[in-house]
Amino acid sequence: MTPITYNSPNRLVAGLGSPVRVNLGIGSERIGTTKRELDKVREILQSEHCPDMLMDLSVIDTGKELWQCIREYFTGPIGVLPHYLSFQDETGLDPGRLFDRLRCAIEGGVNFITVHCTPTPFLLNLAKQRLTPVTSRGGGLIIRDMLMRQRQRSVYAEIFTELCDLARQNHCVLNLGTAFRASSVADGLDEICVAEIREQSRYIELAHNAGVSVVLEGPGHIQLHQIEEYWKLIEPLRVVPMPLGPIVTDSNPDMDPVAAAIGAASIMQRSRGGIINAITSVEHQGGVPSLSLSLEGLRTARVAAQAASLTYCGTSLLAEEKVARLRAIGNSCVIGSKEPGCARCSTLCPLTALPYSLRSSLMAEKAQ
């Protein structure tokens, strides 16, 4: 897997050997919500858990697009899904209009785009054996267009060569979307998932041959023990992974950030680099993430990113060594405590009760 560099103001590097990056999705779902999302992003960027990347998932045309407003004060990579605002309920997607929108976004400063190239009638028929055949919003639009226009392949497949030329000329990264990702761990790594990976591999090869950097959007839901098998399927593709989770248990949807962090850390530890998406606790609750929920999702994703990065990236260990040093200096597991020990352990605290001869040299020096 070759690391990729996003042509954003901060030139972010992601992939093999780099610390795991965190992406946050934001977006307007109806008229009048752009200001809400902008205010939320401003607050998030001032926090200690700000994302490395942002993705505009807006599904409503608000004139000046949300990502354009964000670019005024965010230096990291920004992405969009061009077909969200190109799809027409009555006519679907026109290839020419879609490509015009792609050109405007890419030449206008978008750093990565998510495209769904894989839908075909064959894969759709396979997916019908699931309880829920399709759960991807972007993939669902492409499938609707395919059926409306009686296409034999995705509209993105029809313009993929031209899209690669445009992306290469503007140093834009392609996120290869997963249209048939499972809606639950009960389906997980099923026949449809494996068949779509084979289809994705074709487009990854085409993009690489055209000199375009590619990120692979991975499974949304998969059982923990299946992650090793999933990694073996995508490792030969030499592509930077950007999984949507994966959520490893659906039984506690209000704890989706934790379930997703477990799956994300597991994949990133194997890939030794990549991008994970911050998941909020309303992911499957039907709500729009508030500022506090977005921050919760970001913080949880950061923990997963750090845990995975530690396994291969030496610079990530510095943060852990800092914590260890602070605990030693303070004679307490509680960082920043003004008193040695803590209320929980009381007189049994080994950090204060052990003889000086058994303490670290740092603690002994402080005591002197």
Side-chain angles (χ1 to χ4, degrees), residues 187-308:
D187 290 325
L189 197 64
D190 61 5
E191 178 186 7
I192 301 92
C193 178
V194 175
E196 185 168 26
I197 290 173
R198 286 196 293 267
E199 191 72 10
Q200 287 171 324
S201 69
R202 295 178 52 248
Y203 293 99
I204 291 170
E205 183 177 7
L206 288 171
H208 283 168
N209 290 341
V212 178
S213 296
V214 186
V215 167
L216 179 63
E217 181 184 281
H221 303 252
I222 190 171
Q223 296 178 51
L224 190 57
H225 74 277
Q226 293 176 323
I227 288 179
E228 176 65 23
E229 182 181 353
Y230 171 77
W231 171 242
K232 289 179 179 178
L233 288 172
I234 69 167
E235 184 179 16
L237 305 181
R238 300 179 294 108
V239 66
V240 175
M242 186 179 180
L244 298 174
I247 291 172
V248 293
T249 172
D250 299 314
S251 58
N252 294 277
D254 59 324
M255 296 295 287
D256 275 352
V258 176
I262 293 170
S266 183
I267 287 182
M268 293 297 120
Q269 182 268 331
R270 289 170 168 82
S271 63
R272 299 173 65 81
I275 305 159
I276 62 178
N277 289 276
I279 303 296
T280 71
S281 57
V282 293
E283 183 77 14
H284 296 101
Q285 304 291 316
V288 176
S290 63
L291 171 61
S292 61
L293 291 179
S294 292
L295 285 171
E296 175 192 55
L298 272 169
R299 187 175 184 181
T300 308
R302 281 288 180 205
V303 173
Q306 173 68 1

Side-chain angles (χ1 to χ4, degrees), residues 25 154 288 311 353:
S154 161
V288 176
T311 64

Side-chain angles (χ1 to χ4, degrees), residues 5 23-24 35 47 82 121 141 151 166 180 190 209 269 298 303 306 308 311 334 339 341 346 361:
T5 301
N23 175 61
L24 175 67
K35 183 180 183 302
S47 75
L141 288 178
R151 303 185 197 276
L166 181 65
F180 294 97
D190 61 5
N209 290 341
Q269 182 268 331
L298 272 169
V303 173
Q306 173 68 1
T311 64
V334 183
E339 300 292 336
S346 188
S361 57

Side-chain angles (χ1 to χ4, degrees), residues 118-126 128 146-147 151-153:
T118 53
T120 62
F122 172 75
L123 283 179
L124 182 58
N125 284 330
L126 272 184
K128 289 178 181 179
M146 182 178 71
L147 295 174
R151 303 185 197 276
Q152 294 305 302
R153 57 179 181 164

